[in-house]
Structure formats: C-alpha cells, structure tokens
Amino acid sequence: MPNDQRPLPTPTPETAHFWEGCKAGELRLQRCTGCDGSYFPPRPFCPACGSRDVEVYAASGKASLYSYVINHRPPPGFGSDPYAIAVVTLAEGPRMMTNIVESPQTPEALKLDMPLTVTFEAFGEIALPFFKPAGV
Amino acid sequence: MHHVLITHGESGRSRVGASRFARNMASLQGQFEVPYGIGGPPTMFTIPTLRYMQTHGVTEEDLARVAVVQRQWAAMNPRASYRDPLSLDDVLNSEMIAWPFRKLMCCLVTDGGGALILTSAERARDFPQKPVYVLGTGESTETPMISQMEDFTSSRAFRVSGALAFKEAGIRQADVDHLMIYDAFAHLPLYGLEDLGFCEPGEAKHFYRDGLTAPGGKLPLNTNGGGLSYMHSGMYGMYALQEGVRQMRGIAPAQVEGAKISVCHGVGGMFAASGTVIFGNEAV
Ligand SMILES: [Zn+2]
C-alpha cells in the first residue's frame, strides 16, 4: 500500500520466537506437548491445560478466511484506500488477525472460507504475516 | 444496608477531559491486531458480523432494519438526538464506514450522563419516586482480543451473563415485557436476542422482519431509540439501565403498557465483557 506508515509491534520475550520466525519466512505457532493443542497468540503456557511444557513449531502457512470488514476510514499510516481487516483460521486451528494482500479489497473478491496462504512483508526490523489467496 | 449512588458522565462528543486512546504496541493487541489497521470500535466490534451473516442468512438489509426500527422508537422520545423517520434505503445509502457497516448502523457520539440510587427495598419504600426492584444480575468476560473470540456468531460473555441473571431472577424469556440490548452497532440486538435465549441462533432477524421489537410488537426492544438514535456518549450502559427503570416506573416516553419485567443487557470492551440486569416493578 502506498505511504504505509502503520504502527509496528514491539516484540516481548514471550513473542520473540514468533517475530523471528516471520523474519525467517516461517509462521511459528506453539503447541502443548501434553494435550497436543496448537495455540496463538504466543504465551509460555498452554491455554487449554496450563502446562508450561510447550514447543514452538513452523505452521503450514495455510489458512481460510473466517471474517472481515473493509475499513473505509483508514487510520493514520494506512494510506487512503479501503482495506480489509481480516481474521483467518489457520490450518492448525488457531485464528489470527491479518490483512489480505494480492487481492482486490472488495466483497466480491473476498469470500468467506476462501483458501489463503501466508506471505511476509518487511517493515524495517519487523516482518508482518499477511495472507493472499491460495494459488496466487 | 449501604446506599449506593451510581453515576456516569462523559463528554464523548465535546471531548472535554478526554484522553487519547493509548496503544501499547507490546501488548497482545498491539502486536497482533493494531498493525492490521483496527481503528477503534467501528472496525473491531464489527469484525465477527460477516461470519454471523453468512452462517444465518442475515442480509445488509437486516442490519439496516435494526436502525430503522430503533428510529421508530426514538420518534416517541423527545430527548432523542435523531427522531426523523428512516427508511431501509436511507440506511443502506448512508456513508460506508467498515463494510458491511454504514454510518446509520453505527451509534451516535454525544455527551451525556446519568445516575441511579441503589438501596434496600425497605429503604426505598417511602422514596418520592416509585422503586424498581433488581430481580437478578449476571456478569461475564471473554477475551479482550476480538480476533480470539471463540465463535464469531455468538458471544460467550452474553450467554453466560444472561443465563446467570435469568437464573437469579427465576424467570423465563417468555416472562419479559421489555428489553434493552446495548446497540453500539446494529448487529448487537441480533446477537443479544439469540445469546440471551429469546430465540434460536439465526432467528433474531425474524424478530425485526416481523416487527416483534418495534412499537406495538410483542417484545419492545431499545425503546429509548438506543445508541443508534437516542444518544451514545461512549459507554452507554447507564442510559440503557435508566430506560429500564423508567419503563418499570411507567414513566417512559414510549411506555410499554403493563410492563412488569425489564431485561437490560450491556457490553464492555466490545465483546470482551457483558453484564445483564433484570428489573421488576411492584407488580412482580
Ligand atoms: Zn495443554
């Protein structure tokens, strides 16, 4: 997007693995070695059972479109064109907020449940995970 | 028994004393939601709605109808900010804010304030104003991150707080004469009707299509005109409670004849939290 001055995340010790993964082109999730559940956003314990016995792994990067709005009043740093703020369901189960790229930002182009693939865009020291229509 | 004064005042429109919405980019919301361009309630509270619409065959016209019906109530309220009749076309042609939400599906931004006195039934007996009784209450939370809500077609916080309040009051949905559901945006009365148990998931749209929540309908809802037409200073709960109190006293501008039980359902931090209060009057 032109004039992209979006606010960027400040990683913390609990989330550093995720942001390092994005820079390396990997979408890193965590899962509990006890109950086998994948979860997001990052935290050092399993939200299902409370266990701290958790591991980081590289997710497939596949997802489907769960819901979205198309923001017609962009906040400062997001240019002037309408854009979709989406929530996707990752193939591994967890959901995350993102933007959909390489697609018109219209209801006609953005169909719920459409298959998506992760892609990363660098903003200085941070790389953000976006999603694009699968096969694009 | 202590006597409690509950007050609320807020310069939502004039912004007197208002602080800027501070964002901590190290918080989970700052790291995993803000970078994608959420700009406040119009782009956060609304995100689940498309999934709800697709799941239940709810149309943009159904969202617009919520605003149209609430304007019908507002027309009867001399204090309402907007009282002129609205058509579905008016709403569907209003400025796009965050598709599928248009301006007239979003609440007003006004100044406002209110107060309530909470005391014992015994102490209230000789007050100059008719007392209203709290029959039941419930509170609940889910998640402060809209993206992490368990199910985008239903609010867990709504379901839990509503069930707690109905249980404490010992009433069923069929006993309710009057209903207030915090309407920051047009989808919330639809979620509220379903999550509070007034109908099955997906059926709330029919309450509006069939006029059940409109003046003259079986379940009068948001009878002050709501956040969409009456007023909304930023946190609307006080005003929803006050309309429930007026209805139970029999002094509301759009009074529901013979109403004995009123349910008032509020939201907090968008879908993050909710509270339900059930009022009754001396007839209960
Ligand atoms: Zn676990």
Side-chain angles (χ1 to χ4, degrees):
Chain A
M1 138 188 2
N3 304 317
D4 196 324
Q5 303 273 324
R6 68 180 67 216
L8 295 169
T10 304
T12 62
E14 294 80 8
T15 66
H17 67 271
F18 180 85
W19 296 114
E20 282 161 17
C22 289
K23 266 203 281 194
E26 253 182 37
L27 190 69
R28 290 180 186 162
L29 292 179
Q30 286 167 296
R31 70 184 153 211
C32 174
T33 54
C35 71
D36 210 30
S38 287
Y39 63 87
F40 179 86
R43 75 205 84 171
F45 57 90
C46 169
C49 74
S51 167
R52 293 194 168 256
D53 208 356
V54 298
E55 62 185 12
V56 174
Y57 72 102
S60 65
K62 292 182 170 53
S64 64
L65 184 53
Y66 186 54
S67 200
Y68 67 94
V69 291
I70 300 173
N71 187 10
H72 284 248
R73 296 164 64 95
F78 283 83
S80 54
D81 295 335
Y83 63 91
I85 306 169
V87 174
V88 300
T89 307
L90 302 175
E92 292 77 9
R95 294 213 185 97
M96 62 184 293
M97 189 175 281
T98 189
N99 297 129
I100 309 298
V101 297
E102 299 182 42
S103 166
Q105 304 290 292
T106 62
E108 294 70 32
L110 299 171
K111 298 295 186 197
L112 296 196
D113 302 316
M114 68 192 282
L116 302 164
T117 312
V118 75
T119 179
F120 299 92
E121 190 172 327
F123 297 84
E125 281 304 293
I126 289 288
L128 287 178
F130 294 140
F131 284 78
K132 61 182 182 181
V136 169
Chain B
M1 172 73 191
H2 294 282
H3 314 296
V4 180
L5 176 65
I6 306 166
T7 62
H8 177 74
E10 200 176 12
S11 302
R13 186 170 194 88
S14 57
R15 310 298 295 163
V16 175
S19 54
R20 263 189 76 81
F21 195 30
R23 288 205 147 128
N24 173 0
M25 294 308 292
S27 71
L28 287 178
Q29 190 185 64
Q31 292 187 65
F32 299 108
E33 293 188 335
V34 176
Y36 302 108
I38 53 174
T43 48
M44 295 167 69
F45 217 162
T46 53
I47 286 184
T49 312
L50 198 59
R51 173 55 59 176
Y52 171 81
M53 292 169 74
Q54 174 154 318
T55 301
H56 294 308
V58 173
T59 63
E60 290 173 62
E61 192 174 292
D62 287 316
L63 290 181
R65 191 172 288 108
V66 173
V68 167
V69 168
Q70 294 200 187
R71 186 61 65 85
Q72 292 167 4
W73 286 112
M76 291 186 260
N77 182 358
R79 292 161 60 101
S81 299
Y82 290 109
R83 304 181 61 203
D84 294 338
L86 270 187
S87 69
L88 288 174
D89 279 346
D90 290 336
V91 182
L92 292 169
N93 291 319
S94 63
E95 183 190 346
M96 190 64 85
I97 302 295
W99 185 83
F101 285 83
R102 292 173 181 272
K103 188 170 181 177
L104 292 175
M105 300 169 183
C106 304
C107 66
L108 311 174
V109 181
T110 68
D111 292 352
L116 294 166
I117 297 168
L118 185 66
T119 188
S120 66
E122 192 185 345
R123 178 68 188 83
R125 202 162 291 145
D126 61 355
F127 274 18
Q129 302 281 353
K130 262 170 69 170
V132 169
Y133 302 89
V134 177
L135 306 181
T137 64
E139 286 183 287
S140 185
T141 61
E142 191 176 349
T143 167
M145 293 177 77
I146 193 81
S147 63
Q148 300 305 311
M149 201 176 156
E150 186 175 66
D151 176 353
F152 276 20
T153 70
S154 169
S155 161
R156 192 178 77 199
F158 284 19
R159 296 196 307 271
V160 171
S161 75
L164 287 169
F166 275 89
K167 183 160 186 252
E168 187 178 40
I171 63 158
R172 292 174 314 135
Q173 283 73 6
D175 300 323
V176 175
D177 303 305
H178 172 254
L179 180 56
M180 297 298 292
I181 298 174
Y182 188 140
D183 58 324
F185 297 92
H187 60 311
L188 294 171
L190 301 174
Y191 278 70
L193 281 165
E194 295 169 12
D195 291 336
L196 295 176
F198 287 93
C199 60
E200 294 296 312
E203 287 182 356
K205 61 181 184 287
H206 294 300
F207 275 59
Y208 279 87
R209 291 180 190 174
D210 298 344
L212 300 186
T213 65
K218 269 169 40 181
L219 186 57
L221 199 168
N222 291 348
T223 49
N224 56 359
L228 298 180
S229 282
Y230 169 44
M231 58 85 73
H232 188 285
S233 62
M235 284 170 255
Y236 168 84
M238 169 61 72
Y239 318 109
L241 289 166
Q242 289 185 315
E243 174 66 7
V245 167
R246 290 190 185 106
Q247 288 286 350
M248 291 299 91
R249 282 184 177 157
I251 59 166
Q255 182 62 41
V256 176
E257 285 309 315
K260 300 188 292 290
I261 293 180
S262 173
V263 171
C264 181
H265 183 73
V267 304
M270 292 167 266
F271 276 123
S274 78
T276 313
V277 178
I278 303 183
F279 291 124
N281 61 20
E282 73 287 350
V284 173

